[in-house]
């Protein structure tokens, strides 16, 4: 069964600092990987996805993630944090067969201080 | 124009009652999902329908019954509500079954007293 592990349930950074949110996946075959963001009292919004093209994926709001098969990782980064980045971030995995759903990690709360 | 809309947004009810949450998508997607987000923000898939056919049915009490009258609608009916059913329920849709981008609704917060 596929799964994702997000290391660190809470990450705090200063405005302008690097953001690094960690995600490791477990899958017997290369999966699809996603990062979603959830702002307070809202639904989830797609930040970026990896589906087997370039291993470095660029998303919205300046975020990017790199798929590393050897490390089974898909960490999310942003060079310079902004106050508006404070939110809950979810890594998710899906295999490539039809009929499967996204399996989400437990989420990482990002706090940004001025 | 909201892509995935859920009603109601908030629902407060007593234990033992029956309630429904409705979901509609105007994206032309074939597949719809219900996810449950608990108080620790953990998201778990409950059900998935593709063109009105149930394709995912996770280990969920049979008090929960999804219904898809057409591919644009997926409703969730819950019988005999329990305290543990309190959660935020998210509807989502995608253009292919699985392995694709999910578009989420804003969620329906259910509180059982």
């Amino acid at each position: 069964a596929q799964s994702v592990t997000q290391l660190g349930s809470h990450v705090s950074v200063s405005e302008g600092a690097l953001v690094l949110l960690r995600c490791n996946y477990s899958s017997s075959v290369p999966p699809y990987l996603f990062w979603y963001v959830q702002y307070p009292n809202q639904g989830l919004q797609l930040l970026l996805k990896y589906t087997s093209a370039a291993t470095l994926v660029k998303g919205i709001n300046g975020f990017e993630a790199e798929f590393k098969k050897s490390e089974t990782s898909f960490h999310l980064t942003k060079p310079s944090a902004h106050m508006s980045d404070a939110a809950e971030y979810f890594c998710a995995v899906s295999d490539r067969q039809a009929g499967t759903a996204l399996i989400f990690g437990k989420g990482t709360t990002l706090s940004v201080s001025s | 124009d909201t892509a995935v809309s859920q009603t109601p947004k908030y629902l407060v009810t007593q234990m033992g009652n029956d309630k429904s949450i409705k979901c509609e998508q105007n994206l032309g997607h074939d597949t719809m999902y219900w996810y449950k987000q608990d108080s620790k923000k953990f998201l778990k898939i409950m059900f998935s329908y593709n063109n009105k056919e149930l394709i995912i049915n996770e280990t969920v009490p049979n008090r929960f019954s999804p219904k898809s009258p057409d591919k644009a609608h997926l409703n969730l009916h819950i019988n005999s509500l329990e305290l543990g059913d309190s959660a935020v329920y998210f509807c989502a849709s995608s253009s292919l079954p699985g392995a694709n981008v999910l578009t989420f609704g804003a969620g329906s917060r259910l509180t059982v007293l």
Side-chain angles (χ1 to χ4, degrees):
Chain A
Q2 295 187 318
S3 65
V4 288
T5 302
Q6 292 184 239
L7 298 174
S9 59
H10 199 153
V11 171
S12 298
V13 300
S14 300
E15 196 171 20
L18 171 71
V19 175
L20 171 61
L21 304 182
R22 300 177 187 273
C23 173
N24 288 90
Y25 69 90
S26 171
S27 175
S28 57
V29 295
Y32 292 145
L33 292 160
F34 306 80
W35 276 100
Y36 279 81
V37 61
Q38 184 180 27
Y39 298 102
N41 298 315
Q42 294 187 27
L44 280 76
Q45 178 183 2
L46 179 73
L47 275 179
L48 49 79
K49 65 177 180 178
Y50 166 77
T51 57
S52 80
T55 56
L56 182 62
V57 181
K58 294 188 184 298
I60 62 171
N61 301 338
F63 284 93
E64 63 182 36
E66 186 172 8
F67 173 72
K68 291 187 177 180
K69 184 178 177 181
S70 60
E71 298 176 9
T72 60
S73 68
F74 190 57
H75 301 331
L76 181 71
T77 60
K78 182 174 180 177
S80 176
H82 192 272
M83 297 291 286
S84 61
D85 294 326
E88 191 79 19
Y89 290 80
F90 292 94
C91 182
V93 64
S94 172
D95 70 28
R96 293 159 186 258
Q97 290 182 346
T100 59
L102 293 190
I103 306 300
F104 285 88
K106 293 188 176 182
T108 299
T109 303
L110 176 65
S111 301
V112 182
S113 58
S114 57
Chain B
D1 200 17
T2 305
V4 180
S5 58
Q6 300 178 224
T7 54
K9 189 170 175 64
Y10 299 98
L11 191 51
V12 181
T13 188
Q14 300 288 331
M15 274 196 306
N17 285 349
D18 303 338
K19 290 294 177 186
S20 293
I21 305 171
K22 296 186 176 183
C23 179
E24 175 182 3
Q25 55 95 4
N26 62 7
L27 298 167
H29 288 170
D30 293 321
T31 307
M32 296 184 73
Y33 309 79
W34 278 112
Y35 277 83
K36 178 181 180 181
Q37 186 174 46
D38 63 23
S39 58
K40 295 184 179 179
K41 299 199 175 179
F42 182 55
L43 280 153
K44 191 173 190 302
I45 179 72
M46 300 175 70
F47 303 103
S48 174
Y49 271 76
N50 178 245
N51 271 325
K52 301 192 297 176
E53 180 185 348
L54 182 65
I55 57 173
I56 293 176
N57 186 356
E58 291 296 312
T59 308
V60 176
N62 58 15
R63 297 182 294 103
F64 290 78
S65 52
K67 282 189 173 52
S68 182
D70 56 61
K71 74 174 192 176
H73 295 84
L74 179 61
N75 304 323
L76 182 65
H77 187 76
I78 315 170
N79 291 325
S80 304
L81 279 157
E82 300 177 356
L83 293 176
D85 298 332
S86 295
V88 181
Y89 293 86
F90 284 100
C91 178
S93 70
S94 68
S95 59
L96 287 173
N100 211 320
V101 176
L102 268 59
T103 301
F104 282 83
S108 296
R109 182 177 293 275
L110 171 65
T111 302
V112 183
L113 302 175

